[in-house]
Amino acid sequence: MENYIVSARKYRPTTFDSVVGQRALTTTLKNAIATHKLAHAYLFCGPRGVGKTTCARIFAKTINCLHLTPDGEACNACESCVAFNEQRSYNIHELDAASNNSVDDIRQLTEQVRIPPQIGAYKVYIIDEVHMLSTNAFNAFLKTLEEPPRHAIFILATTEKYKILPTILSRCQIYDFNRISVDDTVAHLARVAAKEGITSEPEALNVIAMKADGGMRDALSIFDQVVSFTGGHITYQSVIENLNVLDYEYYFRLTDLLLAGQVGDALLLFNEVLNKGFDGSHFINGLASHFRDLLVSRDASTLPLLEVGASIRLRYQEQAVKCPPPFLYKAIKLCNDCDLNYRVSKNKRLLVELTLIQVAQLTTGNDDSGTGGHGPKKSLQPVFTAQTTQTQVTPQPVARQTAAQQPAAQPQVTQQPTTQQPTTQQPVDRAQAAQPQVAPTATTLFAPVEKKERTVVDRGSLGVSISLSVPSVPTSPAQTTSAVAPSSPAASAPEEDRAFDQSALMRYWMEYANRLPQEQTAIASKMAVLHPVLLPDSTTFEIVAENDIVAKDFTALIPELRPFLRERLKNSKVEMKVRISEEKATIAVTRPQKFHLMAQKNSALTQLKKEFGLEFD
């Protein structure tokens, strides 16, 4: 059985041209070698698996090559190149700073630097994970790094540049390696698959590249894993199954359901995702990314930002046409808020489900845009509603009386159909009252109304006031005609003040407190503590303040609070008073006075004072 070499080692680049995704850096290094402008110290920093150590080895091999090619690459035929390829070169030294991070290790390195190379012109020292060196080791390395021998070149590699001392950074040429793009990773995986005789689908390689997150070493490791699972035929479905990746199909289906407002089916789809073992945070992150991809798919100029396969790109373009930009903006904002609150939420599943409900309601047209552009309004509409044919509110039926039971002078209240405009009710004369009445149906049999109070229906729902006790005034035909016509707002009579109680006052008091802006948080907190007290037989309420400062704050609030309460309570006589609570009598604080008060409660204290001859200072 021959030794198996993983793809990350087998297909490791050996020349600058074979390095994937770092064209700018490799070109700079090649030009520096060609012009003989080599620095004594380099710092290669960037994410894992992007080619830092690989480029350092290629650079060390190339500068010691005895016969460079015309394009600036190593010849791989000279003695120095052969020694490097066979891993027996004494001109290249690699040090793992993660396990050799002490001062003694650096001192040993500085002793080796003095020895000149045997073959070639330079001795190259590659220190990997240099940020793991201790502070003392960094300080011991400073002098040698600043003024090394002419034949010594240091190449430092790290994934965490911010952990390196500024004094070290200032002595190095810094090269920042970028994450490898999805397209470059897919192209390299396709070349590896072709060399290995493996068939693969572009969508499958795209999923592997996105899973690698910009690291070529991770991509090749995942590639080997999938090859072992599929037996040499990599398909999109097999990659999804092996890597336990949430399929694009779920997000496309979910988006269609949310656009159609089908909340129930959307929740069932989310439950299916949870049953497959996916976490809610992973799901909501994927949904936010899906909405982002739909957004960039709407414009041809932003389409290159979509890093997916060709067939999936077409599906994104088709679904993006159905999604209006305001829907995508607000949906991304809702998903992002859910992601931020997911970690601290105690009921994580409910948090995601509420987010799905809110996203589904963005297409109902009930979402109010009065949010100032800061994000979608956090309100929920009814989710599961019964199908009804009547769309308008019908007023409650008024109790009727027969002609025999009703006095002649008592008018009847006639209700107009709900589809007509609200009309002003006019009294009916005796001739009309004497006409035969229609027999009441089962839905109109009510007990006779005994109260003579005026019942007022909320204008917000009906727009009319129904009076049960109206003076009988004969009306002419002309007046009756004018009564049927819609009345203008100017001609309508002012609404009578309503009576209210302590609970209604308290409810609208707290409503006003909750509506105060963030700048008035202090006064809102005081309103939550100080409750208004309705004076008996009056429309005036008072607030008892603790001191003059609180009283002044509430007095300044009266001009804004009073109109609000009058509107909510439907009473124009609401008044507000502020008074300061009476201060308690100050108790004497001298010692004899304290003793006198205590002796009144316990006479044994007086006897104790006499027996021991106690006196007060």
Side-chain angles (χ1 to χ4, degrees), residues 222-273:
I222 298 173
F223 177 81
D224 291 342
Q225 176 183 343
V226 175
V227 169
S228 300
F229 176 73
T230 59
H233 182 64
I234 303 177
T235 61
Y236 174 78
Q237 193 61 36
S238 62
V239 172
I240 292 296
E241 182 180 355
N242 181 254
L243 300 181
N244 197 26
V245 177
L246 200 55
D247 191 3
Y248 291 108
E249 186 65 29
Y250 284 103
Y251 293 120
F252 283 115
R253 288 169 51 195
L254 180 62
T255 303
D256 291 336
L257 295 176
L258 295 177
L259 289 174
Q262 300 178 8
V263 179
D265 294 337
L267 297 182
L268 291 176
L269 182 60
F270 175 56
N271 182 71
E272 180 181 349
V273 171

Side-chain angles (χ1 to χ4, degrees), residues 68 117 159 233 257 259-260 292 297 360 379 505 542 552:
L68 290 177
T159 56
H233 182 64
L257 295 176
L259 289 174
R292 176 261 181 194
S297 300
S379 61
L505 174 62
E542 68 174 4
K552 185 180 298 183

Side-chain angles (χ1 to χ4, degrees), residues 236-392:
Y236 174 78
Q237 193 61 36
S238 62
V239 172
I240 292 296
E241 182 180 355
N242 181 254
L243 300 181
N244 197 26
V245 177
L246 200 55
D247 191 3
Y248 291 108
E249 186 65 29
Y250 284 103
Y251 293 120
F252 283 115
R253 288 169 51 195
L254 180 62
T255 303
D256 291 336
L257 295 176
L258 295 177
L259 289 174
Q262 300 178 8
V263 179
D265 294 337
L267 297 182
L268 291 176
L269 182 60
F270 175 56
N271 182 71
E272 180 181 349
V273 171
L274 293 180
N275 291 337
K276 288 183 176 294
F278 293 100
D279 185 61
S281 177
H282 179 73
F283 170 80
I284 203 67
N285 284 329
L287 183 60
S289 299
H290 181 75
F291 287 142
R292 176 261 181 194
D293 292 340
L294 288 175
L295 184 62
V296 301
S297 300
R298 291 184 57 87
D299 192 351
S301 61
T302 58
L303 193 59
L305 298 176
L306 186 63
E307 297 178 340
V308 295
S311 60
I312 299 178
R313 184 187 298 267
L314 295 177
R315 293 198 60 183
Y316 269 108
Q317 292 177 341
E318 293 175 358
Q319 192 174 69
V321 178
K322 306 176 185 178
C323 303
F327 168 79
L328 295 176
Y329 298 151
K330 296 178 181 180
I332 293 174
K333 179 66 168 59
L334 287 172
C335 293
N336 184 63
D337 292 343
C338 178
D339 181 37
L340 294 176
N341 298 327
Y342 188 85
R343 181 177 299 179
V344 298
S345 176
K346 294 183 179 180
N347 195 339
K348 302 182 185 300
R349 174 168 181 165
L350 179 60
L351 177 64
V352 178
E353 291 175 343
L354 286 176
T355 302
L356 295 179
I357 294 173
Q358 289 176 332
V359 174
Q361 291 180 356
L362 295 177
T363 59
T364 59
N366 296 327
D367 184 66
D368 189 7
S369 60
T371 57
H374 297 292
K377 188 176 181 180
K378 300 270 184 83
S379 61
L380 292 177
Q381 303 295 333
V383 179
F384 305 102
T385 57
Q387 299 293 333
T388 58
T389 58
Q390 185 177 0
T391 59
Q392 294 187 357

Side-chain angles (χ1 to χ4, degrees), residues 552-563:
K552 185 180 298 183
D553 292 340
F554 277 91
T555 302
L557 195 65
I558 292 178
E560 298 180 2
L561 178 57
R562 183 171 53 191

Side-chain angles (χ1 to χ4, degrees), residues 129-199:
E129 302 297 334
V130 68
H131 64 274
M132 299 294 289
L133 290 178
S134 62
T135 304
N136 294 332
F138 270 128
N139 294 330
F141 189 44
L142 282 176
K143 189 62 178 178
T144 304
L145 185 64
E146 183 177 8
E147 298 178 357
R150 296 182 60 183
H151 61 268
I153 294 179
F154 294 97
I155 302 178
L156 314 180
T158 179
T159 56
E160 301 177 10
K161 182 175 67 174
Y162 63 92
K163 290 185 178 180
I164 301 178
L165 297 179
T167 52
I168 297 292
L169 296 176
S170 63
R171 288 167 168 80
C172 302
Q173 283 190 8
I174 301 176
Y175 288 78
D176 290 312
F177 285 70
N178 300 322
R179 293 183 182 275
I180 303 175
S181 64
V182 175
D183 294 337
D184 291 340
T185 305
V186 171
H188 185 69
L189 292 178
R191 289 194 295 268
V192 173
K195 292 179 181 179
E196 294 291 333
I198 298 172
T199 60

